[in-house]
Amino acid sequence: MDPILLPSQHASSHDLPDDPAHLDAVLAAAAADALAAQQPDGNFEDPAADDDVGDMGLGVISLLCLARQRGMPGDPAVTDAVRRGLDFFLAHRVFRRDDPGEPFLRVRHSGLPYARYMPGDGEHPFGDWPSTVWAMLHAVNVLELGEGLLTGDQYAEATELALGYWRWLTEASMFNPQQTGNQALGAIVAGLMLGRHLDAVSRDREGKRVTTAAMRLYTDVIRPSRVTDRGFALPAEHGAGHDQNYLPISLSFLAQAHRVTADRLFLDDGAEIARHLDCRLSARGFDYGGPRYSEQHCGAEGLLGLRYFGAHLATDLGRYLGDRRVAYYPAARTGAPSGHFAFTTVWLYQDDSKWHRTPSFPAVTPYSLRHRAASVSLTGSHTPYLIDAGRAVVIEPVLAGQHGIGPVLERTLLTRPLGPLRIRDARDGDVVAQLVTKAVVTREQVLLSVQQLFVAEERRVTLFAVVPAAGCEFLAGLPYAEETEAGQRKIVTVTSPGGEPFDLSEPGAVLHTGGTLHAGSLAITSGASLRVVNPPAGRTSFNSPETIGLTQEQLAFSLADDPRGYGNPDAGWHRVTDTNHVLAGPLPDSPAGSAVFAVRYGPHGDVPFTVGVRESVDGLVIDAPGFSVVVGDPAGDADGEPILRVTARP
């Protein structure tokens, strides 16, 4: 089977060169490519594009204006190209007749201008609202950058166009009809920038009216519609929460809103999103899951937000694995800039914040532990769902419809808490640990106090679990993707220590490993037995013969409520019934009536994983290579808090 690459997770965003000389060279090349690709009628659009067309030409014009402002030679051909491009856009891409099939208009036949997602009548009118937001953002950038390039008449017409776009977005149409937070934030930024521009050209009454309306929409409509995930308030994307494509884009919008207004509200709201993203991202910047796109990452669109809020919080948000195909600006198939999302390129060039590239190690956030290139990310119930070590990732498997990494008893995953959690953190030297104690209930309605311990070191993550019941196994995760020069590659085979390959798509097959499993560049090692069980055949079993060639995103979309994933396409992933199961057995010296598990995730060739467990007056003492831990009784100390102590060892 040919290598299966995840769609667009390539390399850390903050690794892109961003010194002024490099940025100017990138922009000059983009401008030259745009001029060469301009069509005889002045059109700057990608001829091969079949969507997101409505704002393209205006976006390219804004990039040419930016290039001239940053010192591009004043070739008369540039001025001519910009003017011809704007004439084409004004004549052919400004629509005032209602798009047939548009279901969200509040005022019919308003005559106000808008941009279409696709130029033809009735071709996907659902996308006209965001296309108009994008076109308005381009228009305001052209107004701010294009003085001297546009004729007086063009400048006046572009001003009225931007104002008309605002009225169409807020008066003729329902606001934010796709219920997509980044689009709504884009409209707010467009209004704030237009208001600032109108003030600057002595139309302060109109400017104040637009600015006031934009702020009211933000405080009264957008902020109350946010959803909460793990205690963080996030803009809703198509009716759900975190999205790894659009969330960094929302950060860029909030960064620009703060740059325009200096209003602390935008800074604080962006910081909340950034903290959430910092918790989700693995040590290498890998992220998976999310309601809009399960695995698609943005490129240039998110750079401003990641850099701006990473600097504000002094955290390395730029480790985020971005899409290098659109590193500085979205490109057409010809290689020339497409213009779509060009406003984020303009803002990135105008902003003077710096990347915060240096992380603090070991790092503990409310929902993750990491140390250098190893990390574990946790859900709101502190269940591991993403482990990164050995340049590869393990994601949460699915067992009988249950998602998570943790102990299993009679095909019931013992990770769902029945009430509040007890959480203790400890660290010693380069070892950071977190103990989570949960009250969980079995299928027979037996209440158990289950303890899971996560330990992060420089090169590896080790998971432990203590269950006061015999007959358990530990569901150790789904080996999913490894890092390659081309990006993240899906793992479709694993090998035993002897090098024998095991096909993850053979229905129901079982591999007994003797304690170690090689999954790409990652080694998963159990302190006891370890085996891999493949799911049965079937479209709802991930890595069955029908789905082995699909990524998690593709399967999620294929099982979603509709083919394009409107609403919440990640619901499709929750319809998966089973995945491959890596199952670890309990340590042989577990206390009577209990099961203690130990599983290590790290690079090949690590030191042997010898684990010992003994009882002491303070609780269980677990000795492992590099550290020892004391895990106290689940009932806790005098205050009911379980004891955790960690000691680093050479």
Side-chain angles (χ1 to χ4, degrees):
M1 179 181 293
D2 293 333
I4 301 167
L5 295 175
L6 306 194
S8 52
Q9 298 191 39
H10 299 145
S12 295
S13 298
H14 65 202
D15 289 343
L16 287 166
D18 68 339
D19 58 279
H22 183 84
L23 290 179
D24 284 343
V26 168
L27 186 59
D33 289 342
L35 293 176
Q38 188 176 27
Q39 299 170 46
D41 59 4
N43 188 1
F44 279 113
E45 294 164 4
D46 174 11
D50 56 6
D51 57 14
D52 284 319
V53 175
D55 67 293
M56 276 187 185
L58 204 54
V60 175
I61 292 169
S62 74
L63 290 178
L64 290 172
C65 293
L66 175 67
R68 275 293 300 271
Q69 188 189 68
R70 290 180 65 93
M72 185 176 177
D75 187 340
V78 176
T79 301
D80 177 67
V82 166
R83 291 177 178 178
R84 289 192 304 113
L86 187 58
D87 281 341
F88 175 87
F89 187 88
L90 293 172
H92 301 288
R93 293 296 180 259
V94 177
F95 296 88
R96 295 180 182 272
R97 290 188 299 105
D98 295 353
D99 199 352
E102 170 61 65
F104 299 117
L105 293 178
R106 296 191 298 167
V107 179
R108 295 287 182 185
H109 312 301
S110 68
L112 292 170
Y114 67 96
R116 287 185 178 176
Y117 179 73
M118 299 165 66
D121 282 354
E123 293 185 11
H124 201 56
F126 191 46
D128 291 351
W129 200 88
S131 291
T132 303
V133 173
W134 282 198
M136 182 180 171
L137 287 163
H138 297 318
V140 176
N141 279 333
V142 168
L143 291 173
E144 293 187 351
L145 298 168
E147 197 166 4
L149 278 177
L150 308 183
T151 68
D153 288 344
Q154 285 179 324
Y155 199 86
E157 192 168 352
T159 300
E160 297 308 316
L161 177 64
L163 190 56
Y165 279 157
W166 176 254
R167 291 190 58 202
W168 187 88
L169 290 167
T170 59
E171 297 174 20
S173 172
M174 295 179 181
F175 187 81
N176 190 22
Q178 291 191 15
Q179 297 180 317
T180 302
N182 79 95
Q183 297 175 8
L185 288 170
I188 298 307
V189 174
L192 295 173
M193 293 182 65
L194 177 61
R196 180 182 66 175
H197 174 74
L198 293 174
D199 286 346
V201 296
S202 301
R203 294 173 62 169
D204 54 311
R205 181 175 298 179
E206 287 179 310
K208 182 175 179 57
R209 186 175 70 248
V210 173
T211 300
T212 301
M215 287 301 301
R216 184 178 298 116
L217 283 167
Y218 184 70
T219 57
D220 295 355
V221 177
I222 295 178
R223 295 190 85 244
S225 68
R226 294 180 299 175
V227 297
T228 301
D229 181 32
R230 279 164 267 200
F232 300 99
L234 312 174
E237 299 293 345
H238 291 271
H242 168 81
D243 178 279
Q244 58 193 54
N245 185 43
Y246 288 149
L247 206 67
I249 297 171
S250 292
L251 279 180
S252 290
F253 283 132
L254 288 165
Q256 180 66 2
H258 184 249
R259 293 182 66 239
V260 171
T261 65
D263 193 315
R264 181 81 191 192
L265 185 63
F266 295 116
L267 188 68
D268 291 344
D269 288 355
E272 188 159 357
I273 296 174
R275 290 188 181 97
H276 177 274
L277 190 59
D278 200 27
C279 289
R280 288 190 62 100
L281 289 181
S282 79
R284 292 187 302 117
F286 187 94
D287 190 15
Y288 102 101
R292 180 54 187 155
Y293 290 117
S294 294
E295 286 164 344
Q296 289 193 29
H297 275 198
C298 66
E301 309 96 307
L303 291 184
L304 172 66
L306 293 168
R307 189 175 74 180
Y308 197 86
F309 286 101
H312 173 60
L313 297 177
T315 186
D316 57 331
L317 276 185
R319 69 185 188 276
Y320 179 96
L321 297 180
D323 188 345
R324 288 296 176 87
R325 297 171 302 177
V326 287
Y328 295 97
Y329 55 86
R333 297 176 192 178
T334 60
S338 78
H340 188 55
F341 270 119
F343 47 85
T344 57
T345 302
V346 171
W347 302 340
L348 181 73
Y349 274 71
Q350 293 173 332
D351 176 57
D352 59 2
S353 60
K354 303 298 181 185
W355 285 112
H356 184 94
R357 294 184 171 95
T358 306
S360 300
F361 288 127
V364 181
T365 75
Y367 297 97
S368 63
L369 289 83
R370 60 187 176 103
H371 188 53
R372 303 195 189 280
S375 62
V376 55
S377 303
L378 309 170
T379 67
S381 61
H382 277 70
T383 298
Y385 71 91
L386 174 65
I387 297 169
D388 194 337
R391 318 302 292 179
V393 293
V394 168
I395 65 174
E396 59 181 7
V398 183
L399 172 69
Q402 307 158 93
H403 293 63
I405 296 172
V408 174
L409 180 63
E410 297 176 351
R411 287 186 63 81
T412 299
L413 191 58
L414 301 178
T415 59
R416 188 176 68 86
L418 201 67
L421 311 174
R422 300 283 194 176
I423 300 171
R424 294 295 297 268
D425 298 324
R427 63 195 304 173
D428 183 40
D430 276 353
V431 180
V432 58
Q434 184 174 92
L435 175 66
V436 178
T437 303
K438 302 178 181 179
V440 302
V441 66
T442 70
R443 193 175 297 276
E444 284 72 32
Q445 298 296 303
V446 176
L447 187 67
L448 300 175
S449 289
V450 173
Q451 295 180 296
Q452 279 195 260
L453 174 66
F454 322 120
V455 180
E457 300 174 85
E458 181 176 349
R459 303 196 316 148
R460 59 200 178 203
V461 170
T462 309
L463 266 54
F464 301 91
V466 181
V467 184
C472 299
E473 289 186 288
F474 187 83
L475 187 61
L478 171 66
Y480 185 56
E482 64 174 330
E483 180 180 293
T484 68
E485 290 185 0
Q488 305 298 314
R489 178 174 63 190
K490 182 182 173 185
I491 295 170
V492 295
T493 59
V494 297
T495 59
S496 66
E500 296 84 6
F502 178 74
D503 185 351
L504 292 174
S505 68
E506 185 181 347
V510 179
L511 171 67
H512 294 275
T513 70
T516 299
L517 171 72
H518 289 164
S521 56
L522 173 69
I524 304 175
T525 307
S526 169
S529 62
L530 189 70
R531 63 193 174 100
V532 182
V533 179
N534 282 352
R539 185 165 165 263
T540 60
S541 295
F542 186 63
N543 279 356
S544 66
E546 297 85 352
T547 64
I548 188 64
L550 301 180
T551 66
Q552 184 255 355
E553 174 196 346
Q554 292 165 334
L555 181 61
F557 266 70
S558 73
L559 297 176
D561 293 325
D562 59 73
R564 292 183 66 97
Y566 297 116
N568 183 353
D570 201 47
W573 182 242
H574 291 284
R575 294 191 177 104
V576 173
T577 56
D578 273 294
T579 63
N580 309 95
H581 301 147
V582 177
L583 292 161
L587 299 177
D589 49 358
S590 299
S594 296
V596 179
F597 302 93
V599 180
R600 185 178 68 184
Y601 308 79
H604 295 188
D606 206 346
V607 297
F609 189 46
T610 55
V611 184
V613 179
R614 66 183 188 277
E615 296 182 85
S616 73
V617 294
D618 293 325
L620 289 180
V621 180
I622 304 175
D623 295 309
F627 62 89
S628 64
V629 291
V630 176
V631 178
D633 190 297
D637 56 19
D639 297 319
E641 293 296 333
I643 295 170
L644 172 64
R645 290 199 295 269
V646 60
T647 303
R649 300 187 307 184

